[in-house]
Amino acid sequence: MSERPPAPTLRGFLDAHFASPQDLPAAPALAELLRRECAELDPSLRRLEAHLADAADAWLARSAGARSHLARIRRTTRRGGFVGGEQEEGAGTATDVGLPELVREIQRIHTIRLYAALVGNLEDAAFSILRQPSKLNLSSMLRKSNETGWKQGKLLHAVDAVRDIERELVRISTARPLWTNLVMAVDSRVDKTLAILRPQALTDYRALLASLGWPPPLSSPDTDKDKYSQIPNPLVLMNEENKGRYSQSFQALCALQHVQGSRELRQRQTAAVADSKYSDRAACFDNGLWAVDELVHPMASRMEYHFVKWSEHPEFIFTLVYKITKDFVDGVDDILQPLIDQARLVGLSAKESWVTGMVKMLVGYLERQIFPALDCSNQDLTTVGKPEADSSWLHLNDLMISFDKRMQLLADSGIKKTACLSEGLSRSLSVFSIYSEHPEWLQMWAGVELSSAQAKLESEMEDETSWSCSGQHDQLGHMENSFKFLLSTREDYKAPPVSESVVKTALLMIERGRALPNSGMQIQYNRSSSVRFLNDFFCVLRDRCEALQLSNTALDDQSLSKICVAINAVRYCENVLREWDEDTTFLDMGPEGSLFTDETCFLVKLGTEYLEQILSSILLEFEDLSWEYVQNIGSWSGQITLEDQILDEENLAVSPGFVASLDVLTDRTSKLKQYLNSKDFLDLWRSIAEGLDYFIYSSIRWGEVTFSNPGVVQLRVDMNALLHIFRPLCSRPEAFLPFLNESLRLLTMKKSETECMLEMLMDDTQSDTSLRHQGFHHVNVCQAAKILRSRKSGG
C-alpha cells in the first residue's frame, strides 16, 4: 500500500526552506523553532476548547428550555388545552409564559446566536492574521507569495465579516430600534477587533512596500548637472508576481477603509449628527486613501531632511514637493487607478489621492516648523511692523497660492470627481487648510496684508496729484459733448486715481483670500483685511470733506473742487461694491448674501450728506447776494415810467441787484458740471433750481406789493435770465421752477381773465379742481388769489 503524498501547503513550505542541498544544515534549527511554536500554541488551543465547551453548555441549556416550552404548547394545542374540564399543568405553564413573549424570546435568541456567529467569524479571521511566525527567524516568510496571499485572504475574509455584521445591524436598527444594547455590544466587539486589525494590515502593507524598494531615492543616480532626469518609480518597475501581491494588498486595505468608514457613518447617523451632504464614500475617503498615504509617509522623512536646511528659503521646500509629486503622479495613476476601479471606489482619483497625500505631508511640516517661527517673529516686539517680518508672511502665502494652483492642475488631470466627493477632497487639497486649525495665524496673515496695503497707499494719498479730479482742466464745451449718465469706469465718475488704487488693492487682497478652502474662513480673512482697508479709506474721504467746513466758509473754487473729488470717489467706490455684491463669487462671503452691506450704506449716506452741504452752501450764497433784490421785488414796479412800458422785453436788461447772484450761480453751476460726476450733477442742479424757485417765490410779499405791466415784464426778464443758466442742462428748465412759472402765468393774464379766475377761486366747491384744470398744480387757491390781487388793475 503506497503512502499518501504530502499536502500542497506542506510541499510548498519545504520547498521554501530547502531549495538546495546547502539548506539541509538548517533543518535542526527549523525543527526546534516549529516545536517551540507548537508548544506555545497548545495552551491557547486548550483555552479555546474550554471556552467552546462552556459556551456550548450555556446555549444547550437555553435551547433545552425553549424546546420544553414548545413541547408544552404543542401538547396544549392537540388536547384543546383541557382534560376533563381541568387545565393540564403544562398548558397552564404555557399560558403563564405567554405565546408572544416566547416568540420574542426565540427571536432574540436567534439574533444573538446570529451575531455571535458573525462576530466569531470576524475574530477568528483577525486572530488568524495575528498568529504569525516569530520575526526573529521567520521574517523572510512575510515576503513569500503563499504567505502574503494567505494573510490577504484572511483580511478580506475579515472585511466580509464586518460587512455582514453591518448589514444585520442596519436591519435590526431599523426593525428593532429599542435593541440598542445588543447593537452597542456588537459594535464594541467589532471596534476592538478593527483596532487590532488596521495596524496589522498597515504593517503588512508597509513591509510589502519596503520589499518593493519603496520609498525611492529623491534623485536619479544618473542625473547630469544640466539635464533633468525623472526619478525611477518602483511601482512601475514591479514584475508580474509583485504586481499581483501589491494589487491584493492594496485592494484589501481599501476594502478595510471603506467598511470602517461605513461603520462610522452609520454610527453618526444613529447619533443624529450625520452630515447629509456626504455619501458613505465621502465619509471614509475625504481625507485620502490609507494605501496612498502609506506611499507618502516614508518619502516625507527623506524630504524633511532637506526641508530643515531650507527654513530661510521656503520656495525650495515647495519646489521639491511639487517635483516629487509630479515625477510620480503618472506612475501612480497608471498603477493605482485600475486597482481603485477594481475595488469599485467610484469617483475616486488616484492622481488626486496622491496629490492630496503630498499636500497633507507639506501642511504637517509647515504646521510644525515654519509657521511657529513666523508666529514668534510676528509677536516679537523688536520685529513687529518691520518690513522683514511682514514680507516673510506675504512671501510664504504667495508661495502657497502658487503651489496650490500647480497641485490642483496635477490633481485635475485625473478622472473627473463626482459631486459628492469634490468638496471633501478639495478641503484637504489646499495648503491653506492649515489656517482652519489655527485661526490666530489667519488673523496674523490678514493683519500683515492690511498693514502692507496701508503702507503702500499712504504715500499715494499724501500726493495731492492723486486727488486731482478727472476732467477738471477739460474745456467746458468738450464736457457737454461727453455728458452721460451710465457710468462704469473711474473716468466716468471723474474719481481721483487714488480711489482706483484703493479698489485694486482691496480686490487683490480678496483674490488672495479666495485660496482659503471655505467661505467661513474667507469671510473672517476679508473682515480683517480688505473690509478694514476700505473702511479706513472711506474715513479719509469723510475727514477730507469735514475739513472743508462748507457750512461755515464761503464756497470757493478750491473747496468746491475738493469736495466734488471726494464725492466722485465715494460714488465710484459705491458702484464697485455694488458690482462685487452682484458677482457670484462674492455671494457666499456675507452672512446675508453681501459682504459689503454696511460699507455701501456708509458711502450712500456720506455722498448724500455732502451733496446736501453743497446745495445748502450754493443756496445760502445766492440768498446773501440777492436778498435785497428779492425783498424789493414789486416795490420798484410802481416807479417804472410809462416810457419804460414800450421797451422791448428781449432787449430789457436784468435788474442790477440780481446780476451778481446770477453771475455767481452761473460760475458755481459750470464748475459743478466740470468737477462733479454727471449723475450727481443732474440731481444737484435740479435741487438747486427747486431751492431757488421756492426761495424767490416765498420771499415775494404777495398781496402786499402791486405789479404794473412794466414790473411784470421786468420780473419775467429776470426769471428768464435765471432759466438761461439751466437751459443748457435741460430743454424745459421752467419745469424745475414751478412756483415762479405759475406765478408769472397768473400775473400776465388779461384783465378779463383775471376777473374770471378770481370769481372761480371764490367758489369753494370747485375752485381747487378748476385751478388744476387750468394747469396750475403747485400754487393753491389762496396763493393764486394773492398773486392775482398783486396785479395792478389796468396795468
Side-chain angles (χ1 to χ4, degrees):
M1 184 175 179
S2 60
E3 295 182 359
R4 294 178 59 186
T9 55
L10 178 58
R11 187 186 303 113
F13 177 78
L14 294 175
D15 290 342
H17 288 82
F18 301 102
S20 64
Q22 287 76 14
D23 296 332
L24 290 176
L30 179 61
E32 179 61 27
L33 179 61
L34 293 175
R35 279 194 298 271
R36 188 164 58 250
E37 289 187 351
C38 290
E40 293 175 355
L41 292 175
D42 283 341
S44 299
L45 180 59
R46 285 192 294 272
R47 285 195 299 270
L48 289 175
E49 289 175 348
H51 178 70
L52 179 61
D54 294 340
D57 291 341
W59 288 113
L60 285 174
R62 280 178 163 271
S63 178
R67 191 179 298 110
S68 175
H69 288 311
L70 289 174
R72 291 171 182 171
I73 293 172
R74 283 196 295 268
R75 288 197 301 271
T76 303
T77 304
R78 286 196 302 269
R79 299 176 183 178
F82 295 92
V83 176
E86 294 182 0
Q87 189 176 17
E88 289 188 354
E89 181 182 355
T93 305
T95 304
D96 293 339
V97 173
L99 187 59
E101 289 78 2
L102 184 60
V103 171
R104 282 196 293 270
E105 180 67 15
I106 293 173
Q107 290 178 341
R108 191 176 69 85
I109 293 173
H110 173 72
T111 303
I112 294 175
R113 182 177 297 173
L114 175 63
Y115 287 166
L118 293 175
V119 174
N121 291 337
L122 171 63
E123 293 177 345
D124 287 345
F127 292 142
S128 298
I129 295 174
L130 293 178
R131 285 200 302 266
Q132 53 183 326
S134 173
K135 294 183 179 180
L136 180 60
N137 295 315
L138 295 180
S139 60
S140 61
M141 295 180 63
L142 293 173
R143 297 189 294 270
K144 301 302 180 180
S145 173
N146 55 349
E147 181 70 16
T148 303
W150 176 81
K151 296 191 73 171
Q152 298 306 325
K154 285 293 184 180
L155 178 59
L156 290 175
H157 179 67
V159 170
D160 290 339
V162 176
R163 286 200 184 102
D164 293 339
I165 293 172
E166 280 301 300
R167 280 195 293 268
E168 288 299 320
L169 289 180
V170 170
R171 183 186 64 80
I172 203 65
S173 297
T174 304
R176 305 287 182 180
L178 298 180
W179 289 15
T180 55
N181 290 335
L182 177 61
V183 174
M184 291 175 60
V186 175
D187 273 340
S188 177
R189 294 283 292 272
V190 174
D191 288 339
K192 290 178 181 178
T193 305
L194 290 177
I196 300 173
L197 199 59
R198 177 185 175 184
Q200 183 62 42
L202 292 176
T203 299
D204 295 340
Y205 183 74
R206 292 166 189 161
L208 177 59
L209 288 177
S211 69
L212 298 175
W214 191 273
L218 296 185
S219 60
S220 176
D222 59 349
T223 303
D224 295 332
K225 188 174 182 180
D226 299 326
K227 182 180 179 182
Y228 171 77
S229 178
Q230 194 173 27
I231 302 173
N233 190 340
L235 299 180
V236 178
L237 301 177
M238 289 188 297
N239 57 33
E240 291 301 323
E241 181 182 359
N242 289 337
K243 282 185 179 179
R245 295 166 56 204
Y246 181 75
S247 173
Q248 190 177 21
S249 179
F250 182 90
Q251 293 191 27
L253 196 58
C254 288
L256 179 62
Q257 181 180 0
H258 181 269
V259 74
Q260 183 161 330
S262 299
R263 283 178 50 77
E264 294 173 356
L265 178 67
R266 191 255 307 163
Q267 291 169 350
R268 290 200 303 269
Q269 288 175 336
T270 303
V273 294
D275 190 344
S276 61
K277 294 188 296 182
Y278 304 116
S279 68
D280 58 337
R281 285 197 178 91
C284 59
F285 292 116
D286 58 357
N287 287 323
L289 284 168
W290 294 347
V292 175
D293 289 343
E294 291 303 321
L295 295 175
V296 175
H297 293 161
M299 297 192 71
S301 59
R302 295 189 177 186
M303 297 172 69
E304 289 182 7
Y305 171 78
H306 300 280
F307 292 170
V308 174
K309 299 182 293 184
W310 297 336
S311 59
E312 299 297 328
H313 300 280
E315 61 272 14
F316 296 159
I317 297 176
F318 288 94
T319 301
L320 178 60
V321 175
Y322 176 76
K323 176 185 180 300
I324 298 300
T325 306
K326 186 175 184 296
D327 284 349
F328 289 91
V329 67
D330 291 331
V332 166
D333 186 52
D334 294 340
I335 300 299
L336 300 189
Q337 191 60 55
L339 302 181
I340 292 175
D341 296 339
Q342 291 176 20
R344 298 180 180 179
L345 304 179
V346 180
L348 283 180
S349 166
K351 282 188 176 182
E352 186 171 31
S353 298
W354 168 250
V355 173
T356 299
M358 296 296 286
V359 170
K360 289 193 298 183
M361 179 273 297
L362 177 60
V363 168
Y365 181 79
L366 295 175
E367 189 175 18
R368 293 191 310 271
Q369 301 295 334
I370 303 299
F371 272 91
L374 285 176
D375 188 2
C376 292
S377 64
N378 187 270
Q379 294 182 5
D380 188 355
L381 296 179
T382 61
T383 59
V384 170
K386 287 188 176 181
E388 296 81 3
D390 290 351
S391 62
S392 297
W393 276 94
L394 297 177
H395 179 55
L396 180 61
N397 282 279
D398 286 339
L399 293 174
M400 291 168 61
I401 292 173
S402 175
F403 178 81
D404 263 1
K405 292 179 180 178
R406 298 170 72 189
M407 296 294 275
Q408 188 70 56
L409 290 176
L410 288 180
D412 289 343
S413 62
I415 64 173
K416 187 175 182 181
K417 298 173 290 186
T418 59
C420 64
L421 299 178
S422 59
E423 183 173 349
L425 289 170
S426 297
R427 287 200 304 271
S428 57
L429 188 60
S430 174
V431 188
F432 284 87
S433 60
I434 192 173
Y435 286 121
S436 62
E437 301 297 331
H438 300 277
E440 71 278 7
W441 291 348
L442 180 61
Q443 287 296 118
M444 288 183 182
W445 176 34
V448 169
E449 290 280 357
L450 177 62
S451 61
S452 176
Q454 289 173 336
K456 292 178 181 178
L457 190 65
E458 185 175 356
S459 59
E460 186 174 359
M461 288 194 300
E462 292 175 355
D463 184 4
E464 283 300 323
T465 59
S466 300
W467 293 95
S468 60
C469 181
S470 177
Q472 181 174 348
H473 303 293
D474 291 351
Q475 295 297 324
L476 190 59
H478 171 72
M479 295 192 66
E480 290 176 356
N481 297 331
S482 62
F483 205 62
K484 61 179 182 178
F485 306 104
L486 296 178
L487 312 181
S488 58
T489 65
R490 178 185 67 84
E491 289 75 12
D492 292 340
Y493 279 95
K494 301 179 183 179
V498 67
S499 60
E500 189 169 31
S501 298
V502 169
V503 167
K504 289 181 177 179
T505 302
L507 185 59
L508 182 61
M509 285 192 282
I510 294 172
E511 292 288 345
R512 289 162 66 84
R514 285 179 181 171
L516 293 167
N518 59 66
S519 60
M521 295 171 63
Q522 293 177 16
I523 293 172
Q524 181 182 355
Y525 163 81
N526 281 299
R527 286 296 183 194
S528 301
S529 59
S530 59
V531 175
R532 284 188 58 186
F533 176 72
L534 290 172
N535 277 327
D536 291 344
F537 178 69
F538 299 157
C539 290
V540 170
L541 294 178
R542 181 194 60 194
D543 294 341
R544 287 178 68 89
C545 293
E546 289 181 350
L548 297 177
Q549 297 181 351
L550 297 181
S551 58
N552 300 329
T553 60
L555 191 63
D556 54 35
D557 288 348
Q558 185 178 8
S559 299
L560 188 61
S561 173
K562 286 185 176 181
I563 197 169
C564 286
V565 168
I567 292 174
N568 293 339
V570 166
R571 294 306 192 203
Y572 171 68
C573 293
E574 176 191 342
N575 179 69
V576 170
L577 294 187
R578 293 187 187 279
E579 289 179 351
W580 287 355
D581 285 341
E582 295 173 358
D583 192 339
T584 55
T585 57
F586 288 85
L587 291 180
D588 295 332
M589 289 191 186
E592 298 178 356
S594 173
L595 182 64
F596 306 102
T597 300
D598 295 339
E599 287 68 31
T600 303
C601 294
F602 176 82
L603 292 177
V604 171
K605 182 179 179 181
L606 184 64
T608 303
E609 178 181 349
Y610 288 103
L611 282 174
E612 291 175 351
Q613 284 197 21
I614 293 177
L615 172 64
S616 177
S617 297
I618 291 177
L619 293 179
L620 287 175
E621 189 176 32
F622 185 90
E623 181 180 347
D624 290 340
L625 294 174
S626 62
W627 179 254
E628 184 176 354
Y629 163 79
V630 172
Q631 292 298 312
N632 292 326
I633 288 180
S635 61
W636 36 256
S637 65
Q639 302 174 4
I640 299 178
T641 61
L642 292 177
E643 289 77 11
D644 294 330
Q645 299 180 23
I646 64 175
L647 293 176
D648 187 359
E649 180 178 342
E650 295 183 359
N651 297 324
L652 191 63
V654 178
S655 300
F658 201 43
V659 173
S661 56
L662 292 179
D663 288 343
V664 172
L665 180 62
T666 302
D667 178 72
R668 298 289 180 260
T669 305
S670 63
K671 292 295 174 56
L672 283 174
K673 184 178 181 181
Q674 184 178 354
Y675 299 149
L676 196 60
N677 69 85
S678 55
K679 290 179 66 175
D680 282 332
F681 175 72
L682 175 65
D683 294 334
L684 186 58
W685 79 256
R686 290 177 174 178
S687 298
I688 292 173
E690 292 172 356
L692 295 176
D693 177 59
Y694 181 77
F695 163 65
I696 296 175
Y697 170 80
S698 61
S699 299
I700 300 176
R701 300 187 303 276
W702 299 110
E704 299 179 13
V705 297
T706 302
F707 285 91
S708 62
N709 285 340
V712 173
V713 172
Q714 184 64 54
L715 179 62
R716 188 158 55 192
V717 169
D718 294 342
M719 294 306 103
N720 283 334
L722 178 62
L723 291 173
H724 179 73
I725 298 175
F726 302 109
R727 203 168 299 280
L729 310 176
C730 179
S731 58
R732 293 188 64 255
E734 56 270 14
F736 300 99
L737 289 88
F739 285 99
L740 291 176
N741 183 43
E742 292 182 4
S743 299
L744 286 173
R745 285 180 56 195
L746 291 171
L747 289 176
T748 54
M749 282 184 175
K750 295 180 180 179
K751 182 178 180 180
S752 57
E753 294 175 345
T754 301
E755 292 175 352
C756 291
M757 178 68 74
L758 285 173
E759 290 179 3
M760 179 193 67
L761 295 178
M762 296 300 295
D763 188 353
D764 294 337
T765 59
Q766 56 179 336
S767 58
D768 188 69
T769 303
S770 300
L771 194 63
R772 299 294 176 262
H773 287 168
Q774 294 292 330
F776 297 96
H777 300 284
H778 292 82
V779 296
N780 56 32
V781 175
C782 180
Q783 292 170 337
K786 286 184 177 181
I787 294 171
L788 290 173
R789 294 191 182 100
S790 296
R791 182 72 166 87
K792 185 177 180 180
S793 301

